Amino acid sequence: AKGKEWDHVFLVGLEDEIIPGKRETAELEEERRCLFVGITRAKRCLYFSQAASRKASWGNQPIIPHTPSRFLQEVAL
């Protein structure tokens, strides 16, 4: 998306352990930067999405609760 913009941008999966994932501190900064790039690509509307829980995609695993991404708090400031 380098240098491009769109009228509507949807950023999905904004949950801890997804964005950001389970990574080292240096990689967290890269994920934060990538999210910022996505945010700045919206011309008119920006949508955030996060699931309260997800079902594991393999076998009969239980539904796993998720918390909102810690990055969302930074955006709201």
Side-chain angles (χ1 to χ4, degrees), residues 8-63:
H8 304 277
V9 173
F10 295 83
L11 300 174
V12 299
L14 294 174
E15 301 138 40
D16 271 341
E17 298 187 8
I18 296 179
I19 298 176
K22 296 179 183 177
R23 294 179 171 78
E24 300 295 322
T25 303
E27 292 173 336
L28 281 175
E29 292 305 316
E30 177 63 13
E31 287 192 54
R32 182 179 280 111
R33 187 193 69 76
C34 288
L35 180 62
F36 177 78
V37 168
I39 290 168
T40 61
R41 298 303 177 228
K43 285 190 217 177
R44 294 184 53 222
C45 296
L46 174 64
Y47 301 91
F48 294 108
S49 174
Q50 105 14 249
S53 62
R54 290 182 180 271
K55 186 171 183 178
S57 60
W58 59 93
N60 291 325
Q61 298 295 322
I63 294 174

Side-chain angles (χ1 to χ4, degrees), residues 57-71:
S57 60
W58 59 93
N60 291 325
Q61 298 295 322
I63 294 174
I64 303 165
H66 282 267
T67 57
S69 171
R70 64 193 93 159
F71 292 165

